Each structure stands twice: as structure tokens, then as C-alpha cells.
């Protein structure tokens, strides 16, 4: 048995190394497989779709905010991994009565790198975690700086919602040199109007392919609504933290090279 302290400063004692892991966060699920823990992942949410086809072997235990508790009980995990934003307080409070639940909180690139390190420590994959993090650090050092172009990253429609402060994506945008005017708003994912977007004097509008499935059909709509701003469809999964960060830098360089 080993005891670890999670992002909520809770002491979590687990069988070490864990042999039956449930992940309730897609980006963390993907990272577990990159840490060569696929044979230990027994459960994941229906949104945990990477990597294919390996992840299909893990039991679908419901959504990130509407888990199926009976399925989790049947799997009898020795470690459940949650994330403060992705999962609800009520889920964690119920699960921790029965199983060890470790909660991450990812609000920055630094948090994301530390998450990989901590996963390695908890699962006896320290070397694998170190290799992944070194790749991320090396690759991120090659990302071009965007000279404070003003951008908004849109995640939802009806109502429009954008990325704000204390989020991994905002940290990523800032690292690349973009200026996000909505990082000054109170909410982490503020609801905004077309007037808000227009008044922000944006150079670019990033329309993410997830969680809302923005696609090429939306470009014409936003070009009409915001004639002085260039809308771009961006792959939302490339803005995930965790193992996806290894390949994200190449995507950013390709997508933003002409901005």
C-alpha cells in the first residue's frame, strides 16, 4: 500500500501498483495507455475513445458526469482517477466511500506535465512518464510564437461559450503567444454574445471540433457575423492535455504557420 496526495489535498491510499484502474477523464485515459497500462485499465467513460482499438476492451462506466455506479462496483477497482472539472463533486464523494479516488485538477501546461509524472508515480511507470514528458518539453520548445494575435477559442453554440481563465487551453494559447481577451472574464468558460466577440477585436476565431462539433459549414456563418475576424476550424482533441501533447506541437506548427 502507498499513500499519495491529490490535487484537492486529499490523502489517497492505494494498492501499489494498482491492477484495476478506472479513468473518468478522456485525456487521462489516453495517457494511461501511453504509459503502457492498457492491461490495467478496466473501466472508462463513453467519451474515452482513444486510443483505438485498445480502449474498447475497457468497460464503459457511463459519462464523465453521469456514471453507472453499479458497473463500477462490478469492476471492483483498486484506483479510480477523476479530474475536478471533468467530473462532479457528487461523483467523487460517492465513489470515495467505496474505492480509492485520486483527483487531478488540470488548469495549465505545468499541471498537465505534473499529471503525467504523478500517474507514473502511482502506477510504477516513472520511467515511461519521464520519457513522455521529455518529448512534450522538447516538442513544445519548437512552437512558433504568435506575437499576441487576439483569438477566442469557441467550445459551444447556443449559447456561445469560449475558453477563459484557469484552463489548460488558455494556458496553451498564452504559451503560443496568443492573447485571449476572455481570460479576463470571471467564468472559466464564459458565455458570450456575438457583440462580445465583435467588441473583442479578434484577429482569429478558433472553432473547436469538440465538445461542440464545429465544422466547415460554420465558417460562412461566422464570416458574416464577424467580417473583421478570420474563423478557423481547429481539432479540439489536439488541445487535450496528457499524452496528446506529444503530437500536438506538430499540429500547432502546421495549423498556425501562416498566421
Amino acid at each position: 500500500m502507498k499513500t499519495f496526495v491529490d490535487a484537492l489535498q486529499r490523502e489517497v491510499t492505494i494498492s501499489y501498483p494498482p491492477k484495476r484502474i478506472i479513468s473518468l477523464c478522456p485525456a487521462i485515459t489516453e495517457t494511461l495507455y501511453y504509459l503502457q497500462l492498457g492491461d490495467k485499465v478496466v473501466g472508462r467513460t463513453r467519451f474515452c475513445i482513444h486510443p483505438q482499438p485498445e480502449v474498447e476492451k475497457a468497460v464503459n462506466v457511463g459519462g464523465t458526469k453521469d456514471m453507472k455506479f453499479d458497473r463500477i462496483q462490478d469492476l471492483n477497482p483498486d484506483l479510480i482517477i477523476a479530474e475536478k472539472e471533468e467530473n462532479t463533486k457528487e461523483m467523487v464523494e460517492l465513489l470515495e466511500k467505496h474505492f480509492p479516488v485520486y483527483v487531478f485538477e488540470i488548469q495549465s501546461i505545468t499541471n498537465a506535465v505534473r499529471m503525467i509524472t504523478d500517474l507514473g508515480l502511482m502506477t510504477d511507470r516513472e520511467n515511461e512518464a519521464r520519457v513522455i514528458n521529455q518529448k512534450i518539453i522538447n516538442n513544445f520548445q519548437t512552437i512558433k510564437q504568435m506575437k499576441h494575435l487576439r483569438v477566442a477559442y469557441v467550445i459551444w453554440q447556443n449559447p456561445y461559450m469560449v475558453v477563459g481563465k484557469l484552463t489548460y487551453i488558455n494556458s496553451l494559447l498564452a504559451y503560443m503567444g496568443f492573447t485571449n481577451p476572455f481570460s479576463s472574464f470571471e467564468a472559466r468558460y464564459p458565455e458570450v454574445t456575438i457583440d462580445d466577440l465583435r467588441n473583442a477585436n479578434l484577429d482569429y476565431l478558433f472553432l473547436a471540433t469538440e465538445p461542440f462539433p464545429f465544422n466547415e459549414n460554420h465558417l460562412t456563418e461566422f464570416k458574416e457575423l464577424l467580417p473583421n475576424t478570420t474563423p478557423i476550424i481547429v481539432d479540439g482533441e489536439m488541445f487535450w492535455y496528457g499524452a496528446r501533447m506529444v503530437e500536438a506541437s506538430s499540429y500547432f506548427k502546421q495549423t498556425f504557420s501562416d498566421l
Side-chain angles (χ1 to χ4, degrees):
M1 304 293 284
K2 280 194 176 184
T3 299
F4 301 89
V5 178
D6 72 3
L8 305 183
Q9 301 305 306
R10 298 159 55 254
E11 290 191 351
V12 182
T13 300
I14 66 173
S15 298
Y16 181 85
K19 296 179 174 61
R20 300 182 60 77
I21 303 171
I22 292 177
S23 171
L24 301 176
C25 173
I28 294 175
T29 300
E30 182 178 39
T31 304
L32 290 170
Y33 283 87
Y34 272 73
L35 290 169
Q36 300 177 30
L37 291 162
D39 60 334
K40 313 294 188 212
V41 179
V42 297
R44 45 91 190 182
T45 75
R46 65 178 177 271
F47 302 112
C48 298
I49 58 175
H50 298 296
Q52 287 287 348
E54 296 90 336
V55 74
E56 296 295 335
K57 298 176 183 177
V59 175
N60 176 345
V61 299
T64 52
K65 293 178 171 59
D66 59 345
M67 64 177 180
K68 306 296 184 184
F69 182 70
D70 57 333
R71 296 182 190 177
I72 292 176
Q73 276 189 312
D74 290 343
L75 290 171
N76 192 29
D78 50 18
L79 173 62
I80 298 175
I81 301 172
E83 201 280 328
K84 186 178 177 183
E85 175 186 299
E86 291 279 348
N87 310 123
T88 68
K89 179 181 179 182
E90 291 75 19
M91 286 172 61
V92 172
E93 289 176 344
L94 172 59
L95 290 170
E96 69 181 354
K97 294 177 182 177
H98 305 274
F99 310 104
V101 182
Y102 188 100
V103 181
F104 285 104
E105 183 173 27
I106 313 299
Q107 297 185 346
S108 67
I109 293 174
T110 299
N111 292 160
V113 171
R114 179 58 189 269
M115 179 270 287
I116 296 172
T117 298
D118 289 346
L119 280 180
L121 289 170
M122 281 192 291
T123 60
D124 194 26
R125 293 291 191 274
E126 293 178 63
N127 289 335
E128 290 83 351
R130 193 175 298 113
V131 169
I132 293 173
N133 276 337
Q134 194 58 58
K135 287 180 180 178
I136 290 170
I137 292 168
N138 291 345
N139 292 350
F140 268 48
Q141 288 174 347
T142 68
I143 296 176
K144 170 187 173 184
Q145 290 294 299
M146 297 301 153
K147 300 179 182 178
H148 303 291
L149 292 172
R150 294 174 66 82
V151 306
Y153 187 103
V154 189
I155 63 169
W156 204 256
Q157 188 176 47
N158 296 325
Y160 294 119
M161 295 179 69
V162 297
V163 162
K165 64 181 180 180
L166 298 178
T167 60
Y168 168 73
I169 295 176
N170 185 62
S171 174
L172 191 55
L173 293 173
Y175 179 86
M176 290 190 283
F178 292 114
T179 296
N180 174 14
F182 297 106
S183 62
S184 63
F185 280 43
E186 185 63 28
R188 296 178 66 213
Y189 296 98
E191 294 185 11
V192 296
T193 64
I194 290 299
D195 281 342
D196 290 327
L197 294 171
R198 189 176 292 121
N199 293 336
N201 297 316
L202 301 170
D203 296 296
Y204 293 94
L205 190 73
F206 295 162
L207 303 174
T209 56
E210 65 91 36
F212 185 88
F214 285 108
N215 56 55
E216 299 295 328
N217 295 328
H218 293 96
L219 294 179
T220 300
E221 172 187 345
F222 279 101
K223 285 176 182 176
E224 293 176 356
L225 291 169
L226 303 169
N228 297 320
T229 299
T230 302
I232 299 175
I233 301 296
V234 296
D235 185 345
E237 291 184 355
M238 285 298 171
F239 287 80
W240 286 11
Y241 48 80
R244 188 56 64 98
M245 296 165 73
V246 173
E247 57 184 298
S249 57
S250 296
Y251 172 79
F252 297 148
K253 284 186 284 187
Q254 178 182 355
T255 304
F256 303 138
S257 61
D258 296 329
L259 300 192

